[in-house]
Amino acid sequence: MKKVNPIREPQRVIMALALPTFLIAIPFFHVYANNVTNLQLPVSFFTGNLSLICLGTSLAFYTITRLIPAKHERGLMALTFAIILIAWLQTNVFIGSYGFLSGETPNWSDGLWLQVGQGALLIALTLLCFTAVDTLCKNIAFLCSLLALTSLAYLPELLEKTRSVEVKKYAFTKDGIYDFSNTQNVIIFVLDSAQADVVNEIMEEVQPIKDKFQGFTMFRNSVSAFPKTYASIPALLSGRSFDNSETLPRYLKKAYVEESISARLKEAGYDARYSSSSPHSLFAHPLVAENVADVEGALVDSENVITEDSELLANMILFRLSPHLLKPYLYNQGDFLLSFKKSGSRDSKTAIYCELNKDTRRYSKERRSFDNTLLDEFRACANKSLEEPAFRFFHLYAPHAPYRLDATFQNIGIKPLKREWFLLQTKGALNVLGELIGQLDERGILEKSLVVIVSDHGEGEYNVGLNLDLTLPPRTKTRSDTKQSLVRGGIPLMMIKRPQDSGEMQYSDAPVQLTDVPATIYDWVGVSNPTEGRAVFSIEPEEERKRTHRYYSFSGWNIDYILPLTEYAIDGFSWYPESWTKSDTNFDARASNSFNGQLVTLRKGGNLKGHLHSGWSDPLEDGRMIKNSSASITLDGNSTSVLTVRHGLHQRGNTSMDVLRNDMPIESWLMANNDGQRYKTAILPGSQTQTVVFSKKDQDAPQPLFKELRLEPISNYSYELGTDINFTDLGNSAKYRTYGWSRAEHWGTSSIGYSSGVIMTLAQAPRQDLSLKVRLSGYVFEQWPEQKIEILVNKIVVGNLSLKDKTKQSIDFVVPYEVITPEGLIDLSFRYLNPVRQKEIGISGDNRLQSIAMINLVLDQPPSNEGGSESYDEP
């Protein structure tokens, strides 16, 4: 009879410690780090509870091993190690890329046979553990140590990635947004892009929709401050429009924290809360709203933030640990299996907590978009539970493009960007908003509320037409050079109802603007009005009143000034193009006066004439070109500076150019055909004056369009060693990245063109080599199997990369201290030797010239150990 070796005490302890390590702790850090931009709480918030769970699991397992009969303990050890081995494989090897947190629907059949093979392998390994249980138990310490070392080798990097969530200190939550006051409410609904003439047409033609807005007055003759959400919403909330006299981040903070309706009403004792389809376009701060959580962890008191992050992490850990064949079941059509949401009441000043289920989901059964979920939550959760007055702000995405909804707000697939589909989607938005107004009425909230329904702007981007064949005021003029698209973007929806207003919806042609909304609210609640706006009900329809609209083209979220910015004065009915005339306000000069350095705008109306210059063409609407082969400008100099040129997209062939400073060459630029770049930079040594010459190498090469020149001190790029430069949309890379980057997205930033730049300035030059760690992935495909990249610091090559797959990699480079300038300047460049256009190789319609996708980089003191590279998933 074969001798059976008993399980010894060290083996029990090792297995008891290993089980929670591989089943809980390591998967947690992997999942957290790889989904950090989808989370609001820092990793430190979870480590305490995580440690308790791991300790409890260890003690429970150890207790079971002591109580279980000896004849079964060997089988338990074999099963436990099989679970550990499977968890290790699922965490480190069988990762996959599913994309559902990015809004994609996983293709479960993709690589199905490979996944079946994976399942068979896991079963085989489990059987092997039972077959070789004696060998396993004898070597359990070695095996667990080996698995731990391979899992923990890059744990410091995972922890480093978790720091990116610290960039965003506050975030909006859902806490209490559907709790209203039984004394007084101010409620703002924003229907993004709803256009006044489209809404008017619907109200005149569809009586059932119009009937849902009993007591409302539609102010048709309205004007928005801007044609885009980012600038229009703060103007709507503060009554003050951005004008380039300060940087946009500074304006946003002041507009929201000090001047917004919610900030002022909070001072008057109101409970203020926001819910937005694009919260990144707002400004989350405790002085702005009650439903704002401190994401650093110490002050978090929002049940929703804790619950949502915990639920996401738990589901993602379970998803990560499960074999592929089980993942569709765990995914559960986007609902996942684990839910930590409580039902019933909760202990807080907002008395009701409700949860959607299959019966209460009407619009969000099939499609869990922000709008659909908000509509169902509002219907299920709106209540009158507060004694203090309340301010509520709801920003819906519809009727903004894409057009995919019908008049009942049901998804019908994406339709062409035409008026008929824009009108249909607007019908759907008005229909469901009318239902919400009905809910407020049924629950006794409407009778205590001032309700403002607006849009942030009209639809100026797409050709949806302008219907002037309605019952409108007479036109006194008909000739105008103003484009219809500009007018469309500037005529927003505005409908308002006070508690005393009743009867059929009324029309008013009083000359109003969105910046009148704060004054209207202050007038109703009895708070002094510090804005220049007026209460709309006090404005007579016949009154002559000039309003302003400031037009610009969207150029990204992370900008400091809006250039060019063109103001139009509207004198007359806002729908008529002849009522719009361009003003003489010079926003370029305001930006230049505010800029920390020198800012020169080259477009018509710019400030180039204030500088000695030669060789430039006459100004165009967007900028200037070089007349012949070179052009120059003289700028004030001082210390070492960064010259940044903003130019138009170059789409007519390659143009090579030398940049000279005081007749000495300092840089060479390639304006590559259709590479997607809009910026170039050069470092200018210190001098009292800087005469910069831009000289084309080939006189016959296409002329690039120069829009803007910036000269700023290198101190603007100050950097502290060890700081994570994060390239996600919540990150801080905008301060350091210069040229050759696309917009930041939730996963990082794509390179564009043949090179990209990052500038950092240390407080003092280092006396030892530094370590540069970059985390990135390559645009590598079967048709394009390799990306080759050179890494340069101050034009000296410090490393080379060869990326042969799509996996994310963390790679260390040594930056010799000799290449860093005495001022501590680090001009970091990524030079792409063979970038790819996905369109040209049949991957997608993306025509940008791409090489890498950057996630983050860190410059620090050299590590004590040499590190390798690792690959991680992006769910």
Side-chain angles (χ1 to χ4, degrees), residues 609-631:
K609 61 184 179 182
H611 301 268
L612 182 64
H613 65 277
S614 66
W616 297 100
S617 71
D618 292 334
L620 305 173
E621 288 296 326
D622 292 333
R624 297 175 189 246
M625 296 182 178
I626 298 172
K627 272 186 181 180
N628 296 309
S629 60
S630 66

PDB file of all heavy atoms in Angstrom, residues 609-631:
ATOM      1  N   LYS A 609       1.442  93.171 -36.198  1.00  0.00           N
ATOM      2  CA  LYS A 609       1.936  94.505 -36.524  1.00  0.00           C
ATOM      3  C   LYS A 609       2.644  95.172 -35.348  1.00  0.00           C
ATOM      4  O   LYS A 609       3.369  96.159 -35.539  1.00  0.00           O
ATOM      5  CB  LYS A 609       0.796  95.388 -37.013  1.00  0.00           C
ATOM      6  CG  LYS A 609      -0.325  95.593 -35.996  1.00  0.00           C
ATOM      7  CD  LYS A 609      -1.459  96.401 -36.581  1.00  0.00           C
ATOM      8  CE  LYS A 609      -2.606  96.593 -35.585  1.00  0.00           C
ATOM      9  NZ  LYS A 609      -3.727  97.346 -36.184  1.00  0.00           N
ATOM     10  N   GLY A 610       2.456  94.655 -34.143  1.00  0.00           N
ATOM     11  CA  GLY A 610       3.142  95.210 -32.979  1.00  0.00           C
ATOM     12  C   GLY A 610       4.577  94.742 -32.850  1.00  0.00           C
ATOM     13  O   GLY A 610       5.259  95.129 -31.897  1.00  0.00           O
ATOM     14  N   HIS A 611       5.045  93.922 -33.797  1.00  0.00           N
ATOM     15  CA  HIS A 611       6.407  93.387 -33.748  1.00  0.00           C
ATOM     16  C   HIS A 611       7.100  93.645 -35.087  1.00  0.00           C
ATOM     17  O   HIS A 611       6.474  93.648 -36.140  1.00  0.00           O
ATOM     18  CB  HIS A 611       6.378  91.880 -33.463  1.00  0.00           C
ATOM     19  CG  HIS A 611       5.715  91.512 -32.167  1.00  0.00           C
ATOM     20  ND1 HIS A 611       6.411  91.372 -30.993  1.00  0.00           N
ATOM     21  CD2 HIS A 611       4.412  91.271 -31.880  1.00  0.00           C
ATOM     22  CE1 HIS A 611       5.571  91.043 -30.026  1.00  0.00           C
ATOM     23  NE2 HIS A 611       4.350  90.972 -30.531  1.00  0.00           N
ATOM     24  N   LEU A 612       8.408  93.859 -35.024  1.00  0.00           N
ATOM     25  CA  LEU A 612       9.185  93.999 -36.252  1.00  0.00           C
ATOM     26  C   LEU A 612       9.145  92.670 -36.995  1.00  0.00           C
ATOM     27  O   LEU A 612       9.457  91.618 -36.440  1.00  0.00           O
ATOM     28  CB  LEU A 612      10.622  94.380 -35.898  1.00  0.00           C
ATOM     29  CG  LEU A 612      11.571  94.625 -37.087  1.00  0.00           C
ATOM     30  CD1 LEU A 612      11.100  95.837 -37.893  1.00  0.00           C
ATOM     31  CD2 LEU A 612      12.995  94.824 -36.577  1.00  0.00           C
ATOM     32  N   HIS A 613       8.770  92.705 -38.270  1.00  0.00           N
ATOM     33  CA  HIS A 613       8.613  91.456 -39.015  1.00  0.00           C
ATOM     34  C   HIS A 613       8.820  91.714 -40.500  1.00  0.00           C
ATOM     35  O   HIS A 613       8.743  92.857 -40.966  1.00  0.00           O
ATOM     36  CB  HIS A 613       7.231  90.852 -38.776  1.00  0.00           C
ATOM     37  CG  HIS A 613       6.108  91.705 -39.296  1.00  0.00           C
ATOM     38  ND1 HIS A 613       5.585  92.767 -38.569  1.00  0.00           N
ATOM     39  CD2 HIS A 613       5.410  91.674 -40.472  1.00  0.00           C
ATOM     40  CE1 HIS A 613       4.612  93.330 -39.261  1.00  0.00           C
ATOM     41  NE2 HIS A 613       4.493  92.699 -40.421  1.00  0.00           N
ATOM     42  N   SER A 614       9.030  90.650 -41.243  1.00  0.00           N
ATOM     43  CA  SER A 614       9.168  90.771 -42.699  1.00  0.00           C
ATOM     44  C   SER A 614       8.894  89.421 -43.344  1.00  0.00           C
ATOM     45  O   SER A 614       9.014  88.367 -42.706  1.00  0.00           O
ATOM     46  CB  SER A 614      10.583  91.251 -43.082  1.00  0.00           C
ATOM     47  OG  SER A 614      11.553  90.274 -42.739  1.00  0.00           O
ATOM     48  N   GLY A 615       8.521  89.444 -44.606  1.00  0.00           N
ATOM     49  CA  GLY A 615       8.369  88.232 -45.383  1.00  0.00           C
ATOM     50  C   GLY A 615       7.051  87.512 -45.249  1.00  0.00           C
ATOM     51  O   GLY A 615       6.882  86.429 -45.801  1.00  0.00           O
ATOM     52  N   TRP A 616       6.095  88.122 -44.533  1.00  0.00           N
ATOM     53  CA  TRP A 616       4.815  87.456 -44.325  1.00  0.00           C
ATOM     54  C   TRP A 616       3.801  87.919 -45.368  1.00  0.00           C
ATOM     55  O   TRP A 616       3.821  89.059 -45.816  1.00  0.00           O
ATOM     56  CB  TRP A 616       4.262  87.742 -42.928  1.00  0.00           C
ATOM     57  CG  TRP A 616       5.126  87.233 -41.822  1.00  0.00           C
ATOM     58  CD1 TRP A 616       6.012  87.946 -41.068  1.00  0.00           C
ATOM     59  CD2 TRP A 616       5.195  85.886 -41.354  1.00  0.00           C
ATOM     60  NE1 TRP A 616       6.631  87.150 -40.149  1.00  0.00           N
ATOM     61  CE2 TRP A 616       6.145  85.862 -40.293  1.00  0.00           C
ATOM     62  CE3 TRP A 616       4.554  84.696 -41.697  1.00  0.00           C
ATOM     63  CZ2 TRP A 616       6.456  84.710 -39.600  1.00  0.00           C
ATOM     64  CZ3 TRP A 616       4.865  83.539 -41.000  1.00  0.00           C
ATOM     65  CH2 TRP A 616       5.808  83.549 -39.974  1.00  0.00           C
ATOM     66  N   SER A 617       2.876  87.034 -45.728  1.00  0.00           N
ATOM     67  CA  SER A 617       1.797  87.384 -46.645  1.00  0.00           C
ATOM     68  C   SER A 617       0.779  88.266 -45.940  1.00  0.00           C
ATOM     69  O   SER A 617       0.843  88.468 -44.723  1.00  0.00           O
ATOM     70  CB  SER A 617       1.106  86.117 -47.149  1.00  0.00           C
ATOM     71  OG  SER A 617       0.352  85.512 -46.097  1.00  0.00           O
ATOM     72  N   ASP A 618      -0.152  88.801 -46.715  1.00  0.00           N
ATOM     73  CA  ASP A 618      -1.261  89.516 -46.112  1.00  0.00           C
ATOM     74  C   ASP A 618      -2.062  88.547 -45.243  1.00  0.00           C
ATOM     75  O   ASP A 618      -2.133  87.344 -45.539  1.00  0.00           O
ATOM     76  CB  ASP A 618      -2.170  90.108 -47.195  1.00  0.00           C
ATOM     77  CG  ASP A 618      -1.484  91.226 -47.976  1.00  0.00           C
ATOM     78  OD1 ASP A 618      -0.572  91.851 -47.406  1.00  0.00           O
ATOM     79  OD2 ASP A 618      -1.852  91.431 -49.146  1.00  0.00           O
ATOM     80  N   PRO A 619      -2.674  89.051 -44.174  1.00  0.00           N
ATOM     81  CA  PRO A 619      -3.377  88.140 -43.260  1.00  0.00           C
ATOM     82  C   PRO A 619      -4.623  87.532 -43.891  1.00  0.00           C
ATOM     83  O   PRO A 619      -5.368  88.192 -44.615  1.00  0.00           O
ATOM     84  CB  PRO A 619      -3.729  89.046 -42.077  1.00  0.00           C
ATOM     85  CG  PRO A 619      -3.790  90.420 -42.653  1.00  0.00           C
ATOM     86  CD  PRO A 619      -2.742  90.455 -43.729  1.00  0.00           C
ATOM     87  N   LEU A 620      -4.819  86.251 -43.600  1.00  0.00           N
ATOM     88  CA  LEU A 620      -6.049  85.554 -43.943  1.00  0.00           C
ATOM     89  C   LEU A 620      -6.915  85.467 -42.695  1.00  0.00           C
ATOM     90  O   LEU A 620      -6.538  85.949 -41.626  1.00  0.00           O
ATOM     91  CB  LEU A 620      -5.716  84.156 -44.471  1.00  0.00           C
ATOM     92  CG  LEU A 620      -4.741  84.107 -45.659  1.00  0.00           C
ATOM     93  CD1 LEU A 620      -4.364  82.658 -45.967  1.00  0.00           C
ATOM     94  CD2 LEU A 620      -5.352  84.794 -46.875  1.00  0.00           C
ATOM     95  N   GLU A 621      -8.075  84.827 -42.807  1.00  0.00           N
ATOM     96  CA  GLU A 621      -8.955  84.704 -41.654  1.00  0.00           C
ATOM     97  C   GLU A 621      -8.296  83.914 -40.528  1.00  0.00           C
ATOM     98  O   GLU A 621      -8.533  84.174 -39.359  1.00  0.00           O
ATOM     99  CB  GLU A 621     -10.268  84.036 -42.061  1.00  0.00           C
ATOM    100  CG  GLU A 621     -11.194  84.902 -42.888  1.00  0.00           C
ATOM    101  CD  GLU A 621     -11.682  86.121 -42.105  1.00  0.00           C
ATOM    102  OE1 GLU A 621     -11.867  86.003 -40.876  1.00  0.00           O
ATOM    103  OE2 GLU A 621     -11.870  87.187 -42.721  1.00  0.00           O
ATOM    104  N   ASP A 622      -7.428  82.938 -40.872  1.00  0.00           N
ATOM    105  CA  ASP A 622      -6.847  82.058 -39.866  1.00  0.00           C
ATOM    106  C   ASP A 622      -5.372  82.296 -39.606  1.00  0.00           C
ATOM    107  O   ASP A 622      -4.822  81.753 -38.644  1.00  0.00           O
ATOM    108  CB  ASP A 622      -7.041  80.595 -40.268  1.00  0.00           C
ATOM    109  CG  ASP A 622      -8.495  80.176 -40.226  1.00  0.00           C
ATOM    110  OD1 ASP A 622      -9.255  80.775 -39.454  1.00  0.00           O
ATOM    111  OD2 ASP A 622      -8.863  79.262 -40.973  1.00  0.00           O
ATOM    112  N   GLY A 623      -4.679  83.048 -40.459  1.00  0.00           N
ATOM    113  CA  GLY A 623      -3.256  83.234 -40.239  1.00  0.00           C
ATOM    114  C   GLY A 623      -2.552  83.813 -41.455  1.00  0.00           C
ATOM    115  O   GLY A 623      -3.172  84.454 -42.306  1.00  0.00           O
ATOM    116  N   ARG A 624      -1.248  83.596 -41.551  1.00  0.00           N
ATOM    117  CA  ARG A 624      -0.448  84.115 -42.663  1.00  0.00           C
ATOM    118  C   ARG A 624       0.478  83.025 -43.184  1.00  0.00           C
ATOM    119  O   ARG A 624       0.821  82.083 -42.474  1.00  0.00           O
ATOM    120  CB  ARG A 624       0.402  85.313 -42.209  1.00  0.00           C
ATOM    121  CG  ARG A 624      -0.380  86.517 -41.734  1.00  0.00           C
ATOM    122  CD  ARG A 624       0.557  87.582 -41.209  1.00  0.00           C
ATOM    123  NE  ARG A 624      -0.148  88.670 -40.560  1.00  0.00           N
ATOM    124  CZ  ARG A 624      -0.196  89.928 -41.014  1.00  0.00           C
ATOM    125  NH1 ARG A 624       0.451  90.238 -42.144  1.00  0.00           N
ATOM    126  NH2 ARG A 624      -0.844  90.865 -40.374  1.00  0.00           N
ATOM    127  N   MET A 625       0.921  83.226 -44.424  1.00  0.00           N
ATOM    128  CA  MET A 625       1.904  82.351 -45.039  1.00  0.00           C
ATOM    129  C   MET A 625       3.193  83.132 -45.290  1.00  0.00           C
ATOM    130  O   MET A 625       3.230  84.357 -45.162  1.00  0.00           O
ATOM    131  CB  MET A 625       1.363  81.782 -46.347  1.00  0.00           C
ATOM    132  CG  MET A 625       0.151  80.889 -46.174  1.00  0.00           C
ATOM    133  SD  MET A 625      -0.410  80.206 -47.757  1.00  0.00           S
ATOM    134  CE  MET A 625      -1.781  79.194 -47.199  1.00  0.00           C
ATOM    135  N   ILE A 626       4.241  82.400 -45.628  1.00  0.00           N
ATOM    136  CA  ILE A 626       5.497  83.035 -46.006  1.00  0.00           C
ATOM    137  C   ILE A 626       5.368  83.489 -47.457  1.00  0.00           C
ATOM    138  O   ILE A 626       4.917  82.739 -48.313  1.00  0.00           O
ATOM    139  CB  ILE A 626       6.665  82.049 -45.841  1.00  0.00           C
ATOM    140  CG1 ILE A 626       6.791  81.648 -44.362  1.00  0.00           C
ATOM    141  CG2 ILE A 626       7.969  82.639 -46.333  1.00  0.00           C
ATOM    142  CD1 ILE A 626       7.788  80.537 -44.121  1.00  0.00           C
ATOM    143  N   LYS A 627       5.764  84.722 -47.731  1.00  0.00           N
ATOM    144  CA  LYS A 627       5.593  85.259 -49.087  1.00  0.00           C
ATOM    145  C   LYS A 627       6.417  84.490 -50.103  1.00  0.00           C
ATOM    146  O   LYS A 627       5.914  84.042 -51.129  1.00  0.00           O
ATOM    147  CB  LYS A 627       5.993  86.742 -49.129  1.00  0.00           C
ATOM    148  CG  LYS A 627       4.890  87.704 -48.788  1.00  0.00           C
ATOM    149  CD  LYS A 627       5.369  89.132 -49.003  1.00  0.00           C
ATOM    150  CE  LYS A 627       4.287  90.142 -48.648  1.00  0.00           C
ATOM    151  NZ  LYS A 627       4.771  91.533 -48.854  1.00  0.00           N
ATOM    152  N   ASN A 628       7.678  84.341 -49.859  1.00  0.00           N
ATOM    153  CA  ASN A 628       8.564  83.678 -50.809  1.00  0.00           C
ATOM    154  C   ASN A 628       9.169  82.430 -50.175  1.00  0.00           C
ATOM    155  O   ASN A 628       8.539  81.396 -50.106  1.00  0.00           O
ATOM    156  CB  ASN A 628       9.636  84.645 -51.300  1.00  0.00           C
ATOM    157  CG  ASN A 628       9.028  85.810 -52.080  1.00  0.00           C
ATOM    158  OD1 ASN A 628       8.249  85.589 -53.003  1.00  0.00           O
ATOM    159  ND2 ASN A 628       9.372  87.038 -51.697  1.00  0.00           N
ATOM    160  N   SER A 629      10.367  82.590 -49.658  1.00  0.00           N
ATOM    161  CA  SER A 629      11.013  81.415 -49.064  1.00  0.00           C
ATOM    162  C   SER A 629      11.324  81.586 -47.582  1.00  0.00           C
ATOM    163  O   SER A 629      11.690  80.617 -46.920  1.00  0.00           O
ATOM    164  CB  SER A 629      12.306  81.086 -49.796  1.00  0.00           C
ATOM    165  OG  SER A 629      13.211  82.185 -49.726  1.00  0.00           O
ATOM    166  N   SER A 630      11.189  82.800 -47.036  1.00  0.00           N
ATOM    167  CA  SER A 630      11.473  82.981 -45.614  1.00  0.00           C
ATOM    168  C   SER A 630      10.688  84.162 -45.064  1.00  0.00           C
ATOM    169  O   SER A 630      10.289  85.070 -45.797  1.00  0.00           O
ATOM    170  CB  SER A 630      12.974  83.201 -45.368  1.00  0.00           C
ATOM    171  OG  SER A 630      13.397  84.429 -45.934  1.00  0.00           O
ATOM    172  N   ALA A 631      10.477  84.125 -43.769  1.00  0.00           N
ATOM    173  CA  ALA A 631       9.808  85.211 -43.060  1.00  0.00           C
ATOM    174  C   ALA A 631      10.426  85.312 -41.681  1.00  0.00           C
ATOM    175  O   ALA A 631      10.952  84.332 -41.136  1.00  0.00           O
ATOM    176  CB  ALA A 631       8.303  84.952 -42.965  1.00  0.00           C
TER     177      ALA A 631
END
